[in-house]
Amino acid sequence: MDKRKNRINSWRLPLLAFVVIIGIWEISTDVFNINKIILPDPYTILISIITNWNILIKHTSITMIEALFGFIIGTLIGILIAILFVYFSKAKQAFYPYAIALKATPLYALAPLLVMSALVAFFPILVNTVKGLTSVEQESYDLFRSLSASKWQVFTKLRLPNALPYIFTALKISTTLSVVGATIAEFTGSSMGIGHLIVNASYYLDTSLMFSGIVMISLAGVLFFYFVDYIEQKMVFWQKND
Amino acid sequence: MIELKNIHKTWQNDKISLLTIEDINLSINKGEFISIIGPSGCGKTTLLKLIAGLLEPTKGQILLNDKATNQKSPQRLSIVFQNPILLPWRKIKENIQLPNELNNLPLNKNVYEKIHLVGLQEFENNYPDELSGGMQQRVAIARALILNPTLLLMDEPFSSLDEVNRNRLNLELLKIWKELRPTIIFVTHSISDAVFLSDRIIILTKRPAKVKEILSIDLPRSRKLEIKETLEFQRYVKWIRERIE
């Protein structure tokens, strides 16, 4: 009962905030008489979304598929390299500085599509997986050793489950990052996808369509985030969320 | 039987080398209940880990039934740590099954018997965070007993519990000990618990730890809590306290 009440409460405030912000936006575009090319009002954007629904869905799906692929590839590589770093400290010493340097490079300007969303997903996963795998208490290792556990058993039955909450924290960060990554990569390197649509629309001064694209991809990103959040609650059930 | 022959342990890293244990000689009989007591930070836990084979002595030798602990042998020893160290993603039953699982034994071997022994039959399908501290430590004891160890090492297992729970678990531990007769080495900083539980108490000095005294407790067995009020019990406690301070 309490849980359900909490859930309703947790939706009520964001909804209220949404209504307030949209309301202020709608009213202020009228009051200050802002040109629709500079900032269209929410109602115009809504109409634009409805009339362009098919195109928007198509391009959003393309971008989301790219983001998803990048997300998966980045995650897998991130976890693999993290395991490598943890078990071969020489590898970590040798490559970690470059991983950091790579993170500091303005990747958005360089990389094409998939590589892009994979790369942005990769770093949080790498860092958090390393942290999760190494944050096991000494006593737990002692317990496993006293029970003559093999290295493989220590990995699968202790370190990996211990790392899961950390990995999921990173996964949630990576969801939105990979969507943003895919979108931005489409600005220059693509003739499809929501990023392309946004740039094109802005070129033709169709600001309402541009905002429609932004709204669509944001919604998709949010859905993606809550999907992973849902999986987390199922898989990392022992971790109490605050 | 367990024998420690002039055991030394030095902690070493780049900057310092610290002698924590200096020339400890002990022999512990099969089925004996031994407590180790001493000032905090004196190396009690280190000594226990040496016996468990989790650490190597810098010098000296430890023999379990005439075999060196560092030989890879299926030594029948279990440890109960200060924290219960339960895996939060496993149910109580699955936590207790862990030793079987790691040793490729039938999963349920001895499991229900031990769950019963520690009185947790109603909680086998709960998760650790649904249990109180005392109950969690019971799970840890059941897990430690699952392989029927002949040697049970306990490192301040009840120190985080309140007195009522500690007394209750002390009594249960004695019951288990009477039933299964393992050798128990019990590290504690509670003098009263040590006197209540043990056949012999080993008092260590400040670091580097040496054996200061070995005291036999000649109180009748099948001890009940009331024994703590006897003059004899309190004499033991006083005697030890004077030697630790």
Side-chain angles (χ1 to χ4, degrees):
Chain A
M1 237 8 226
D2 270 334
K3 233 180 192 172
R4 186 192 257 171
K5 215 174 177 181
N6 268 337
R7 202 171 298 156
I8 292 170
N9 275 335
S10 75
W11 280 105
R12 201 177 282 161
L13 269 181
L15 198 68
L16 185 69
F18 179 79
V19 171
V20 169
I21 290 170
I22 295 295
I24 293 175
W25 183 353
E26 183 74 47
I27 292 165
S28 55
T29 44
D30 272 354
V31 170
F32 300 111
N33 202 12
I34 296 170
N35 192 330
K36 285 200 162 115
I37 291 173
I38 294 166
L39 182 68
D41 58 298
Y43 181 71
T44 312
I45 295 170
L46 182 67
I47 296 296
S48 166
I49 290 176
I50 293 167
T51 45
N52 297 303
W53 182 252
N54 287 336
I55 307 170
L56 285 169
I57 283 291
K58 183 185 140 206
H59 287 285
T60 307
S61 327
I62 290 168
T63 306
M64 284 310 289
I65 288 169
E66 288 161 8
L68 196 65
F69 266 101
F71 174 81
I72 292 169
I73 294 168
T75 300
L76 290 179
I77 296 177
I79 290 176
L80 281 177
I81 293 190
I83 293 170
L84 197 77
F85 277 6
V86 168
Y87 280 93
F88 304 94
S89 57
K90 283 273 182 324
K92 186 178 175 188
Q93 278 170 29
F95 292 112
Y96 211 58
Y98 298 106
I100 301 293
L102 199 59
K103 175 146 177 57
T105 338
L107 289 166
Y108 292 106
L110 297 173
L113 289 176
L114 266 185
V115 182
M116 176 80 211
S117 40
L119 269 176
V120 289
F122 167 78
F123 288 106
I125 301 281
L126 171 69
V127 173
N128 270 29
T129 310
V130 167
K131 201 168 157 198
L133 289 173
T134 50
S135 71
V136 177
E137 301 276 338
Q138 182 58 41
E139 277 189 328
S140 306
Y141 288 125
D142 285 346
L143 172 72
F144 271 67
R145 263 184 68 200
S146 75
L147 295 168
S148 41
S150 65
K151 269 195 165 170
W152 176 247
Q153 285 173 324
V154 171
F155 177 69
T156 55
K157 294 181 199 295
L158 181 61
R159 297 186 89 167
L160 201 55
N162 186 73
L164 264 191
Y166 295 85
I167 293 175
F168 265 101
T169 304
L171 284 179
K172 287 198 286 188
I173 297 170
S174 296
T175 51
T176 45
L177 282 181
S178 65
V179 173
V180 172
T183 309
I184 292 180
E186 283 167 352
F187 283 178
T188 52
S190 173
S191 55
M192 281 186 302
I194 217 78
H196 170 72
L197 181 130
I198 290 170
V199 169
N200 231 23
S202 102
Y203 182 76
Y204 290 108
L205 295 181
D206 190 348
T207 319
S208 332
L209 182 61
M210 191 180 114
F211 270 88
S212 307
I214 294 170
V215 169
M216 289 297 282
I217 200 65
S218 308
L219 281 179
V222 170
L223 278 180
F224 190 15
F225 176 89
Y226 279 106
F227 173 70
V228 173
D229 186 64
Y230 175 78
I231 308 257
E232 180 190 32
Q233 281 171 28
K234 293 288 151 202
M235 279 187 74
V236 195
F237 55 89
W238 67 89
Q239 199 80 355
K240 287 273 177 290
N241 275 340
D242 32 22
Chain B
M1 198 169 94
I2 303 152
E3 259 181 297
L4 282 72
K5 291 181 176 167
N6 58 84
I7 296 298
H8 290 71
K9 179 70 188 174
T10 311
W11 280 114
Q12 196 118 33
N13 65 17
D14 302 339
K15 293 190 188 102
I16 48 163
S17 109
L18 194 66
L19 185 65
T20 52
I21 287 177
E22 187 180 8
D23 197 24
I24 286 193
N25 291 284
L26 274 180
S27 82
I28 295 165
N29 299 319
K30 193 166 177 295
E32 208 175 0
F33 201 127
I34 295 279
S35 286
I36 298 175
I37 203 164
S40 56
C42 77
K44 302 186 288 274
T45 298
T46 306
L47 186 61
L48 206 70
K49 285 188 174 180
L50 286 167
I51 298 172
L54 292 172
L55 292 174
E56 297 265 312
T58 316
K59 218 173 98 186
Q61 210 184 10
I62 297 172
L63 299 172
L64 293 185
N65 303 322
D66 300 323
K67 281 187 200 129
T69 43
N70 50 19
Q71 282 172 12
K72 256 290 176 196
S73 59
Q75 1 158 316
R76 282 302 196 66
L77 69 81
S78 288
I79 312 176
V80 179
F81 298 86
Q82 192 166 359
N83 299 310
I85 330 176
L86 305 177
L87 305 177
W89 51 86
R90 284 171 173 248
K91 293 176 176 171
I92 297 311
K93 191 172 90 182
E94 295 164 338
N95 265 292
I96 296 175
Q97 286 169 337
L98 184 72
N100 286 341
E101 200 177 318
L102 296 177
N103 288 285
N104 300 317
L105 295 167
L107 270 191
N108 280 330
K109 197 179 176 202
N110 297 332
V111 166
Y112 292 100
E113 180 199 326
K114 303 305 183 213
I115 288 181
H116 211 83
L117 191 67
V118 296
L120 283 173
Q121 44 284 40
E122 283 160 52
F123 299 96
E124 51 173 279
N125 288 318
N126 285 76
Y127 285 94
D129 66 354
E130 297 165 334
L131 269 60
S132 69
M135 270 152 62
Q136 290 188 16
Q137 202 52 278
R138 282 204 181 96
V139 178
I141 291 172
R143 181 183 58 198
L145 293 173
I146 211 84
L147 298 174
N148 285 326
T150 53
L151 174 58
L152 190 56
L153 304 174
M154 308 184 87
D155 187 7
E156 305 194 23
F158 310 141
S159 62
S160 59
L161 305 178
D162 60 71
E163 205 183 331
V164 176
N165 267 308
R166 221 170 61 213
N167 283 335
R168 195 180 296 159
L169 276 170
N170 281 340
L171 281 171
E172 274 179 39
L173 181 61
L174 281 185
K175 196 188 89 194
I176 289 166
W177 176 65
K178 220 165 132 188
E179 218 170 298
L180 309 175
R181 276 288 159 177
T183 309
I184 296 184
I185 302 179
F186 190 93
V187 167
T188 179
H189 56 240
S190 159
I191 299 172
S192 151
D193 286 357
V195 174
F196 182 71
L197 293 167
S198 315
D199 293 322
R200 281 194 297 161
I201 297 176
I202 293 155
I203 304 167
L204 299 180
T205 61
K206 273 193 301 212
R207 199 180 58 217
K210 283 174 277 193
V211 176
K212 187 168 191 176
E213 303 273 0
I214 298 180
L215 175 67
S216 289
I217 306 294
D218 293 319
L219 295 169
R221 270 300 167 183
S222 68
R223 295 173 193 168
K224 302 214 167 52
L225 286 177
E226 291 82 63
I227 205 169
K228 291 192 177 183
E229 274 128 46
T230 63
L231 213 62
E232 228 183 330
F233 186 94
Q234 282 158 10
R235 250 203 320 263
Y236 280 122
V237 171
K238 183 163 174 275
W239 193 90
I240 297 169
R241 193 185 306 121
E242 283 165 1
R243 269 145 194 88
I244 289 183
E245 274 160 4

mmCIF file with all atom_site columns, all heavy atoms in Angstrom, chain B residues 32 65 84 140 160 169 203 205:
data_model
loop_
_atom_site.group_PDB
_atom_site.id
_atom_site.type_symbol
_atom_site.label_atom_id
_atom_site.label_alt_id
_atom_site.label_comp_id
_atom_site.label_asym_id
_atom_site.label_entity_id
_atom_site.label_seq_id
_atom_site.pdbx_PDB_ins_code
_atom_site.Cartn_x
_atom_site.Cartn_y
_atom_site.Cartn_z
_atom_site.occupancy
_atom_site.B_iso_or_equiv
_atom_site.pdbx_formal_charge
_atom_site.auth_seq_id
_atom_site.auth_comp_id
_atom_site.auth_asym_id
_atom_site.auth_atom_id
_atom_site.pdbx_PDB_model_num
ATOM 1  N N   . GLU B 1 32  ? 38.855 -28.928 22.303 1.00 0.00 ? 32  GLU B N   1
ATOM 2  C CA  . GLU B 1 32  ? 38.996 -27.933 23.363 1.00 0.00 ? 32  GLU B CA  1
ATOM 3  C C   . GLU B 1 32  ? 38.346 -26.604 22.958 1.00 0.00 ? 32  GLU B C   1
ATOM 4  O O   . GLU B 1 32  ? 38.300 -26.271 21.769 1.00 0.00 ? 32  GLU B O   1
ATOM 5  C CB  . GLU B 1 32  ? 40.481 -27.696 23.642 1.00 0.00 ? 32  GLU B CB  1
ATOM 6  C CG  . GLU B 1 32  ? 40.768 -27.260 25.054 1.00 0.00 ? 32  GLU B CG  1
ATOM 7  C CD  . GLU B 1 32  ? 42.283 -27.148 25.323 1.00 0.00 ? 32  GLU B CD  1
ATOM 8  O OE1 . GLU B 1 32  ? 43.090 -27.408 24.411 1.00 0.00 ? 32  GLU B OE1 1
ATOM 9  O OE2 . GLU B 1 32  ? 42.630 -26.786 26.436 1.00 0.00 ? 32  GLU B OE2 1
ATOM 10 N N   . ASN B 1 65  ? 46.848 -31.434 13.229 1.00 0.00 ? 65  ASN B N   1
ATOM 11 C CA  . ASN B 1 65  ? 46.954 -32.896 13.204 1.00 0.00 ? 65  ASN B CA  1
ATOM 12 C C   . ASN B 1 65  ? 48.243 -33.341 12.509 1.00 0.00 ? 65  ASN B C   1
ATOM 13 O O   . ASN B 1 65  ? 48.229 -34.142 11.589 1.00 0.00 ? 65  ASN B O   1
ATOM 14 C CB  . ASN B 1 65  ? 45.743 -33.516 12.500 1.00 0.00 ? 65  ASN B CB  1
ATOM 15 C CG  . ASN B 1 65  ? 44.457 -33.102 13.170 1.00 0.00 ? 65  ASN B CG  1
ATOM 16 O OD1 . ASN B 1 65  ? 44.393 -33.006 14.395 1.00 0.00 ? 65  ASN B OD1 1
ATOM 17 N ND2 . ASN B 1 65  ? 43.446 -32.822 12.368 1.00 0.00 ? 65  ASN B ND2 1
ATOM 18 N N   . PRO B 1 84  ? 29.009 -10.793 9.839  1.00 0.00 ? 84  PRO B N   1
ATOM 19 C CA  . PRO B 1 84  ? 28.491 -12.065 9.318  1.00 0.00 ? 84  PRO B CA  1
ATOM 20 C C   . PRO B 1 84  ? 28.927 -12.350 7.880  1.00 0.00 ? 84  PRO B C   1
ATOM 21 O O   . PRO B 1 84  ? 29.024 -13.511 7.494  1.00 0.00 ? 84  PRO B O   1
ATOM 22 C CB  . PRO B 1 84  ? 26.977 -11.894 9.397  1.00 0.00 ? 84  PRO B CB  1
ATOM 23 C CG  . PRO B 1 84  ? 26.697 -10.567 9.980  1.00 0.00 ? 84  PRO B CG  1
ATOM 24 C CD  . PRO B 1 84  ? 27.961 -9.869  10.262 1.00 0.00 ? 84  PRO B CD  1
ATOM 25 N N   . ALA B 1 140 ? 25.750 -17.033 9.819  1.00 0.00 ? 140 ALA B N   1
ATOM 26 C CA  . ALA B 1 140 ? 27.184 -17.221 9.603  1.00 0.00 ? 140 ALA B CA  1
ATOM 27 C C   . ALA B 1 140 ? 27.690 -18.463 10.334 1.00 0.00 ? 140 ALA B C   1
ATOM 28 O O   . ALA B 1 140 ? 28.538 -19.197 9.826  1.00 0.00 ? 140 ALA B O   1
ATOM 29 C CB  . ALA B 1 140 ? 27.949 -15.983 10.072 1.00 0.00 ? 140 ALA B CB  1
ATOM 30 N N   . SER B 1 160 ? 29.553 -7.156  17.919 1.00 0.00 ? 160 SER B N   1
ATOM 31 C CA  . SER B 1 160 ? 28.693 -6.037  17.511 1.00 0.00 ? 160 SER B CA  1
ATOM 32 C C   . SER B 1 160 ? 27.271 -6.193  18.042 1.00 0.00 ? 160 SER B C   1
ATOM 33 O O   . SER B 1 160 ? 26.409 -5.396  17.722 1.00 0.00 ? 160 SER B O   1
ATOM 34 C CB  . SER B 1 160 ? 28.674 -5.925  15.984 1.00 0.00 ? 160 SER B CB  1
ATOM 35 O OG  . SER B 1 160 ? 28.194 -7.116  15.423 1.00 0.00 ? 160 SER B OG  1
ATOM 36 N N   . LEU B 1 169 ? 23.602 -15.982 22.245 1.00 0.00 ? 169 LEU B N   1
ATOM 37 C CA  . LEU B 1 169 ? 24.418 -16.688 21.259 1.00 0.00 ? 169 LEU B CA  1
ATOM 38 C C   . LEU B 1 169 ? 25.557 -17.456 21.923 1.00 0.00 ? 169 LEU B C   1
ATOM 39 O O   . LEU B 1 169 ? 25.934 -18.531 21.458 1.00 0.00 ? 169 LEU B O   1
ATOM 40 C CB  . LEU B 1 169 ? 24.947 -15.707 20.217 1.00 0.00 ? 169 LEU B CB  1
ATOM 41 C CG  . LEU B 1 169 ? 23.929 -15.434 19.107 1.00 0.00 ? 169 LEU B CG  1
ATOM 42 C CD1 . LEU B 1 169 ? 24.372 -14.286 18.233 1.00 0.00 ? 169 LEU B CD1 1
ATOM 43 C CD2 . LEU B 1 169 ? 23.713 -16.664 18.246 1.00 0.00 ? 169 LEU B CD2 1
ATOM 44 N N   . ILE B 1 203 ? 46.124 -15.411 27.212 1.00 0.00 ? 203 ILE B N   1
ATOM 45 C CA  . ILE B 1 203 ? 46.213 -13.952 27.326 1.00 0.00 ? 203 ILE B CA  1
ATOM 46 C C   . ILE B 1 203 ? 47.456 -13.486 26.596 1.00 0.00 ? 203 ILE B C   1
ATOM 47 O O   . ILE B 1 203 ? 48.559 -13.962 26.869 1.00 0.00 ? 203 ILE B O   1
ATOM 48 C CB  . ILE B 1 203 ? 46.274 -13.519 28.804 1.00 0.00 ? 203 ILE B CB  1
ATOM 49 C CG1 . ILE B 1 203 ? 45.053 -14.083 29.553 1.00 0.00 ? 203 ILE B CG1 1
ATOM 50 C CG2 . ILE B 1 203 ? 46.313 -12.001 28.925 1.00 0.00 ? 203 ILE B CG2 1
ATOM 51 C CD1 . ILE B 1 203 ? 45.176 -13.990 31.061 1.00 0.00 ? 203 ILE B CD1 1
ATOM 52 N N   . THR B 1 205 ? 50.096 -10.397 25.149 1.00 0.00 ? 205 THR B N   1
ATOM 53 C CA  . THR B 1 205 ? 50.631 -9.094  25.565 1.00 0.00 ? 205 THR B CA  1
ATOM 54 C C   . THR B 1 205 ? 50.319 -8.065  24.487 1.00 0.00 ? 205 THR B C   1
ATOM 55 O O   . THR B 1 205 ? 49.791 -8.395  23.435 1.00 0.00 ? 205 THR B O   1
ATOM 56 C CB  . THR B 1 205 ? 52.158 -9.163  25.718 1.00 0.00 ? 205 THR B CB  1
ATOM 57 O OG1 . THR B 1 205 ? 52.698 -9.500  24.428 1.00 0.00 ? 205 THR B OG1 1
ATOM 58 C CG2 . THR B 1 205 ? 52.569 -10.202 26.722 1.00 0.00 ? 205 THR B CG2 1
#
